[in-house]
Short mmCIF file of all heavy atoms in Angstrom, two decimals:
data_model
loop_
_atom_site.label_atom_id
_atom_site.label_comp_id
_atom_site.label_asym_id
_atom_site.label_seq_id
_atom_site.Cartn_x
_atom_site.Cartn_y
_atom_site.Cartn_z
N THR A 98 -12.26 4.93 11.36
CA THR A 98 -13.04 4.40 10.25
C THR A 98 -13.80 5.55 9.61
O THR A 98 -14.13 6.54 10.27
CB THR A 98 -14.03 3.31 10.69
OG1 THR A 98 -14.88 3.83 11.70
CG2 THR A 98 -13.32 2.08 11.22
N ILE A 99 -14.06 5.40 8.34
CA ILE A 99 -14.84 6.40 7.60
C ILE A 99 -16.03 5.64 7.01
O ILE A 99 -15.93 5.07 5.93
CB ILE A 99 -14.01 7.08 6.51
CG1 ILE A 99 -12.81 7.78 7.15
CG2 ILE A 99 -14.87 8.08 5.73
CD1 ILE A 99 -11.85 8.39 6.17
N PRO A 100 -17.15 5.58 7.76
CA PRO A 100 -18.28 4.76 7.32
C PRO A 100 -18.98 5.29 6.07
O PRO A 100 -19.57 4.51 5.33
CB PRO A 100 -19.21 4.75 8.51
CG PRO A 100 -18.83 5.93 9.33
CD PRO A 100 -17.38 6.20 9.05
N PHE A 101 -18.96 6.60 5.84
CA PHE A 101 -19.58 7.13 4.63
C PHE A 101 -19.04 8.50 4.31
O PHE A 101 -18.43 9.15 5.13
CB PHE A 101 -21.11 7.18 4.76
CG PHE A 101 -21.61 8.17 5.78
CD1 PHE A 101 -21.87 9.49 5.43
CD2 PHE A 101 -21.83 7.79 7.09
CE1 PHE A 101 -22.33 10.40 6.37
CE2 PHE A 101 -22.29 8.69 8.03
CZ PHE A 101 -22.54 9.99 7.67
N MET A 102 -19.30 8.91 3.06
CA MET A 102 -18.93 10.25 2.61
C MET A 102 -20.20 10.96 2.19
O MET A 102 -21.05 10.37 1.52
CB MET A 102 -17.95 10.17 1.43
CG MET A 102 -16.61 9.61 1.84
SD MET A 102 -15.48 9.24 0.48
CE MET A 102 -15.39 10.76 -0.38
N ASP A 103 -20.35 12.19 2.59
CA ASP A 103 -21.51 12.99 2.21
C ASP A 103 -21.28 13.50 0.79
O ASP A 103 -20.43 14.35 0.55
CB ASP A 103 -21.69 14.15 3.18
CG ASP A 103 -22.97 14.92 2.96
OD1 ASP A 103 -23.59 14.76 1.88
OD2 ASP A 103 -23.36 15.68 3.86
N LEU A 104 -22.02 12.97 -0.15
CA LEU A 104 -21.78 13.28 -1.55
C LEU A 104 -22.18 14.70 -1.93
O LEU A 104 -21.72 15.22 -2.93
CB LEU A 104 -22.51 12.27 -2.44
CG LEU A 104 -22.07 10.83 -2.24
CD1 LEU A 104 -22.90 9.90 -3.12
CD2 LEU A 104 -20.59 10.66 -2.56
N ARG A 105 -23.02 15.34 -1.14
CA ARG A 105 -23.42 16.71 -1.46
C ARG A 105 -22.26 17.68 -1.36
O ARG A 105 -22.07 18.53 -2.22
CB ARG A 105 -24.55 17.18 -0.54
CG ARG A 105 -25.85 16.47 -0.78
CD ARG A 105 -26.84 16.97 0.20
NE ARG A 105 -26.27 16.74 1.54
CZ ARG A 105 -26.95 16.71 2.65
NH1 ARG A 105 -28.23 16.92 2.62
NH2 ARG A 105 -26.37 16.49 3.80
N ASP A 106 -21.50 17.59 -0.29
CA ASP A 106 -20.38 18.53 -0.13
C ASP A 106 -19.03 17.82 -0.03
O ASP A 106 -18.03 18.45 0.25
CB ASP A 106 -20.61 19.43 1.08
CG ASP A 106 -20.78 18.66 2.37
OD1 ASP A 106 -20.91 17.43 2.31
OD2 ASP A 106 -20.81 19.30 3.44
N GLY A 107 -19.00 16.52 -0.26
CA GLY A 107 -17.73 15.80 -0.31
C GLY A 107 -17.09 15.57 1.04
O GLY A 107 -15.94 15.15 1.10
N GLY A 108 -17.80 15.84 2.12
CA GLY A 108 -17.22 15.67 3.45
C GLY A 108 -17.22 14.23 3.90
O GLY A 108 -18.16 13.48 3.64
N ARG A 109 -16.17 13.83 4.57
CA ARG A 109 -16.09 12.48 5.12
C ARG A 109 -16.58 12.49 6.56
O ARG A 109 -16.22 13.36 7.34
CB ARG A 109 -14.65 11.99 5.10
CG ARG A 109 -14.08 11.75 3.74
CD ARG A 109 -12.60 11.42 3.88
NE ARG A 109 -12.01 10.97 2.66
CZ ARG A 109 -11.46 11.76 1.76
NH1 ARG A 109 -11.43 13.06 1.96
NH2 ARG A 109 -10.93 11.27 0.67
N PHE A 110 -17.36 11.48 6.93
CA PHE A 110 -17.75 11.30 8.32
C PHE A 110 -16.72 10.35 8.92
O PHE A 110 -16.47 9.27 8.39
CB PHE A 110 -19.15 10.69 8.42
CG PHE A 110 -19.64 10.62 9.84
CD1 PHE A 110 -20.16 11.74 10.44
CD2 PHE A 110 -19.57 9.44 10.55
CE1 PHE A 110 -20.61 11.70 11.76
CE2 PHE A 110 -20.02 9.38 11.86
CZ PHE A 110 -20.54 10.51 12.46
N ILE A 111 -16.10 10.76 10.01
CA ILE A 111 -14.99 10.02 10.60
C ILE A 111 -15.37 9.55 12.00
O ILE A 111 -15.87 10.33 12.81
CB ILE A 111 -13.73 10.89 10.70
CG1 ILE A 111 -13.35 11.41 9.32
CG2 ILE A 111 -12.58 10.12 11.33
CD1 ILE A 111 -12.30 12.50 9.35
N GLU A 112 -15.13 8.28 12.26
CA GLU A 112 -15.28 7.74 13.61
C GLU A 112 -13.88 7.44 14.13
O GLU A 112 -13.13 6.68 13.51
CB GLU A 112 -16.09 6.45 13.58
CG GLU A 112 -17.52 6.64 13.14
CD GLU A 112 -18.27 5.33 13.00
OE1 GLU A 112 -17.64 4.25 13.04
OE2 GLU A 112 -19.49 5.40 12.83
N ALA A 113 -13.51 8.06 15.24
CA ALA A 113 -12.21 7.83 15.86
C ALA A 113 -12.46 7.22 17.24
O ALA A 113 -12.96 7.89 18.13
CB ALA A 113 -11.42 9.12 15.98
N LEU A 114 -12.13 5.95 17.39
CA LEU A 114 -12.34 5.25 18.65
C LEU A 114 -11.06 5.26 19.46
O LEU A 114 -10.01 4.81 18.98
CB LEU A 114 -12.77 3.80 18.38
CG LEU A 114 -12.89 2.89 19.60
CD1 LEU A 114 -14.01 3.38 20.52
CD2 LEU A 114 -13.13 1.46 19.17
N ASP A 115 -11.12 5.78 20.67
CA ASP A 115 -9.98 5.76 21.58
C ASP A 115 -9.88 4.34 22.14
O ASP A 115 -10.77 3.89 22.86
CB ASP A 115 -10.19 6.77 22.71
CG ASP A 115 -8.97 6.90 23.61
OD1 ASP A 115 -8.26 5.90 23.82
OD2 ASP A 115 -8.74 8.01 24.12
N LEU A 116 -8.86 3.62 21.76
CA LEU A 116 -8.71 2.22 22.14
C LEU A 116 -8.45 2.02 23.63
O LEU A 116 -8.67 0.93 24.14
CB LEU A 116 -7.60 1.57 21.31
CG LEU A 116 -7.84 1.55 19.80
CD1 LEU A 116 -6.60 1.05 19.08
CD2 LEU A 116 -9.05 0.71 19.46
N HIS A 117 -8.00 3.04 24.31
CA HIS A 117 -7.70 2.92 25.74
C HIS A 117 -8.90 3.20 26.62
O HIS A 117 -9.06 2.56 27.66
CB HIS A 117 -6.54 3.83 26.12
CG HIS A 117 -5.27 3.48 25.41
ND1 HIS A 117 -4.09 4.15 25.60
CD2 HIS A 117 -4.97 2.53 24.48
CE1 HIS A 117 -3.16 3.64 24.84
NE2 HIS A 117 -3.67 2.66 24.15
N THR A 118 -9.74 4.16 26.22
CA THR A 118 -10.88 4.54 27.06
C THR A 118 -12.22 4.07 26.51
O THR A 118 -13.21 4.05 27.24
CB THR A 118 -10.96 6.07 27.23
OG1 THR A 118 -11.22 6.66 25.96
CG2 THR A 118 -9.69 6.62 27.83
N GLY A 119 -12.27 3.73 25.22
CA GLY A 119 -13.52 3.30 24.61
C GLY A 119 -14.41 4.44 24.15
O GLY A 119 -15.51 4.23 23.68
N ILE A 120 -13.92 5.67 24.27
CA ILE A 120 -14.68 6.84 23.84
C ILE A 120 -14.59 6.95 22.32
O ILE A 120 -13.52 6.83 21.74
CB ILE A 120 -14.15 8.13 24.50
CG1 ILE A 120 -14.35 8.06 26.01
CG2 ILE A 120 -14.85 9.36 23.92
CD1 ILE A 120 -13.70 9.20 26.77
N SER A 121 -15.74 7.20 21.69
CA SER A 121 -15.78 7.35 20.24
C SER A 121 -16.04 8.82 19.89
O SER A 121 -16.95 9.43 20.43
CB SER A 121 -16.89 6.47 19.66
OG SER A 121 -16.94 6.59 18.27
N TYR A 122 -15.24 9.35 19.00
CA TYR A 122 -15.39 10.71 18.51
C TYR A 122 -15.92 10.60 17.08
O TYR A 122 -15.19 10.16 16.19
CB TYR A 122 -14.06 11.46 18.52
CG TYR A 122 -13.45 11.57 19.90
CD1 TYR A 122 -12.57 10.60 20.37
CD2 TYR A 122 -13.77 12.62 20.73
CE1 TYR A 122 -12.01 10.70 21.63
CE2 TYR A 122 -13.21 12.73 22.00
CZ TYR A 122 -12.34 11.76 22.44
OH TYR A 122 -11.78 11.85 23.69
N ASP A 123 -17.17 10.96 16.87
CA ASP A 123 -17.82 10.82 15.58
C ASP A 123 -18.19 12.19 15.03
O ASP A 123 -19.15 12.81 15.49
CB ASP A 123 -19.09 9.96 15.69
CG ASP A 123 -18.82 8.59 16.31
OD1 ASP A 123 -17.68 8.11 16.20
OD2 ASP A 123 -19.76 8.01 16.88
N PHE A 124 -17.42 12.65 14.04
CA PHE A 124 -17.62 13.98 13.47
C PHE A 124 -17.31 13.96 11.99
O PHE A 124 -16.60 13.07 11.51
CB PHE A 124 -16.69 15.01 14.13
CG PHE A 124 -16.90 15.19 15.59
CD1 PHE A 124 -16.05 14.58 16.50
CD2 PHE A 124 -17.93 15.98 16.06
CE1 PHE A 124 -16.24 14.76 17.86
CE2 PHE A 124 -18.12 16.16 17.42
CZ PHE A 124 -17.28 15.55 18.33
N TYR A 125 -17.78 14.98 11.29
CA TYR A 125 -17.34 15.20 9.91
C TYR A 125 -15.92 15.75 9.96
O TYR A 125 -15.49 16.35 10.94
CB TYR A 125 -18.26 16.18 9.18
CG TYR A 125 -19.54 15.55 8.71
CD1 TYR A 125 -20.69 15.63 9.47
CD2 TYR A 125 -19.58 14.85 7.50
CE1 TYR A 125 -21.88 15.04 9.04
CE2 TYR A 125 -20.75 14.27 7.06
CZ TYR A 125 -21.89 14.35 7.83
OH TYR A 125 -23.04 13.76 7.41
N GLU A 126 -15.20 15.55 8.87
CA GLU A 126 -13.81 16.00 8.78
C GLU A 126 -13.68 17.49 9.11
O GLU A 126 -12.77 17.90 9.83
CB GLU A 126 -13.29 15.73 7.38
CG GLU A 126 -11.86 16.12 7.17
CD GLU A 126 -11.38 15.79 5.77
OE1 GLU A 126 -12.13 15.22 4.97
OE2 GLU A 126 -10.22 16.14 5.49
N VAL A 127 -14.59 18.31 8.62
CA VAL A 127 -14.55 19.76 8.86
C VAL A 127 -14.67 20.05 10.35
O VAL A 127 -14.02 20.95 10.88
CB VAL A 127 -15.69 20.46 8.09
CG1 VAL A 127 -15.73 21.93 8.39
CG2 VAL A 127 -15.54 20.22 6.61
N GLU A 128 -15.49 19.28 11.04
CA GLU A 128 -15.66 19.49 12.49
C GLU A 128 -14.38 19.14 13.24
O GLU A 128 -14.02 19.81 14.21
CB GLU A 128 -16.84 18.67 13.00
CG GLU A 128 -18.16 19.13 12.44
CD GLU A 128 -19.31 18.21 12.80
OE1 GLU A 128 -19.17 16.98 12.65
OE2 GLU A 128 -20.34 18.74 13.25
N PHE A 129 -13.68 18.08 12.82
CA PHE A 129 -12.39 17.75 13.43
C PHE A 129 -11.42 18.90 13.24
O PHE A 129 -10.68 19.27 14.16
CB PHE A 129 -11.79 16.47 12.85
CG PHE A 129 -12.24 15.21 13.54
CD1 PHE A 129 -13.14 14.36 12.93
CD2 PHE A 129 -11.76 14.87 14.79
CE1 PHE A 129 -13.54 13.19 13.55
CE2 PHE A 129 -12.15 13.71 15.43
CZ PHE A 129 -13.05 12.86 14.81
N GLU A 130 -11.40 19.48 12.04
CA GLU A 130 -10.48 20.58 11.75
C GLU A 130 -10.75 21.79 12.63
O GLU A 130 -9.83 22.53 12.98
CB GLU A 130 -10.60 20.99 10.28
CG GLU A 130 -10.08 19.95 9.32
CD GLU A 130 -10.41 20.26 7.87
OE1 GLU A 130 -11.13 21.24 7.59
OE2 GLU A 130 -9.95 19.51 7.00
N GLN A 131 -12.01 22.01 13.01
CA GLN A 131 -12.39 23.19 13.79
C GLN A 131 -12.36 22.97 15.30
O GLN A 131 -12.62 23.89 16.06
CB GLN A 131 -13.78 23.64 13.36
CG GLN A 131 -13.83 24.09 11.92
CD GLN A 131 -15.25 24.35 11.43
OE1 GLN A 131 -16.22 24.08 12.12
NE2 GLN A 131 -15.36 24.89 10.23
N MET A 132 -12.06 21.76 15.74
CA MET A 132 -12.04 21.47 17.18
C MET A 132 -11.02 22.34 17.89
O MET A 132 -9.92 22.56 17.39
CB MET A 132 -11.68 20.01 17.43
CG MET A 132 -12.77 19.06 17.19
SD MET A 132 -12.18 17.40 17.60
CE MET A 132 -13.70 16.51 17.47
N GLU A 133 -11.40 22.81 19.06
CA GLU A 133 -10.49 23.59 19.88
C GLU A 133 -10.54 23.07 21.31
O GLU A 133 -11.50 22.45 21.72
CB GLU A 133 -10.90 25.06 19.85
CG GLU A 133 -10.71 25.71 18.50
CD GLU A 133 -11.03 27.19 18.52
OE1 GLU A 133 -11.21 27.75 19.61
OE2 GLU A 133 -11.11 27.77 17.44
N GLY A 134 -9.50 23.33 22.02
CA GLY A 134 -9.45 22.96 23.42
C GLY A 134 -8.56 21.76 23.68
O GLY A 134 -8.35 20.91 22.82
N GLU A 135 -8.06 21.72 24.87
CA GLU A 135 -7.13 20.67 25.28
C GLU A 135 -7.77 19.28 25.25
O GLU A 135 -7.11 18.29 24.97
CB GLU A 135 -6.63 20.98 26.69
CG GLU A 135 -5.46 20.16 27.12
CD GLU A 135 -4.92 20.63 28.44
OE1 GLU A 135 -4.71 21.84 28.61
OE2 GLU A 135 -4.73 19.76 29.31
N LYS A 136 -9.06 19.23 25.52
CA LYS A 136 -9.79 17.96 25.57
C LYS A 136 -9.70 17.20 24.24
O LYS A 136 -9.64 15.98 24.22
CB LYS A 136 -11.24 18.22 25.94
CG LYS A 136 -12.13 17.03 25.97
CD LYS A 136 -13.54 17.41 26.35
CE LYS A 136 -14.48 16.23 26.30
NZ LYS A 136 -15.84 16.60 26.61
N TYR A 137 -9.71 17.93 23.11
CA TYR A 137 -9.74 17.31 21.79
C TYR A 137 -8.40 17.36 21.05
O TYR A 137 -8.31 16.87 19.94
CB TYR A 137 -10.79 18.00 20.93
CG TYR A 137 -12.19 17.88 21.48
CD1 TYR A 137 -12.86 19.01 21.94
CD2 TYR A 137 -12.83 16.66 21.55
CE1 TYR A 137 -14.14 18.90 22.45
CE2 TYR A 137 -14.12 16.55 22.06
CZ TYR A 137 -14.77 17.68 22.51
OH TYR A 137 -16.02 17.57 23.01
N GLU A 138 -7.40 17.96 21.65
CA GLU A 138 -6.13 18.19 20.96
C GLU A 138 -5.50 16.90 20.43
O GLU A 138 -5.10 16.83 19.27
CB GLU A 138 -5.15 18.89 21.90
CG GLU A 138 -3.86 19.28 21.24
CD GLU A 138 -2.96 20.06 22.19
OE1 GLU A 138 -3.48 20.78 23.05
OE2 GLU A 138 -1.74 19.92 22.04
#
Side-chain angles (χ1 to χ4, degrees):
T98 57
I99 301 175
F101 67 89
M102 293 171 55
D103 188 345
L104 299 177
R105 291 178 304 199
D106 58 350
R109 292 173 170 90
F110 186 80
I111 303 168
E112 295 175 349
L114 174 65
D115 186 326
L116 298 173
H117 298 181
T118 65
I120 296 172
S121 181
Y122 300 91
D123 304 334
F124 298 101
Y125 281 95
E126 181 179 357
V127 176
E128 294 172 312
F129 272 106
E130 291 171 355
Q131 296 172 353
M132 283 183 172
E133 293 184 11
E135 192 173 311
K136 177 180 176 182
Y137 299 113
E138 185 176 328

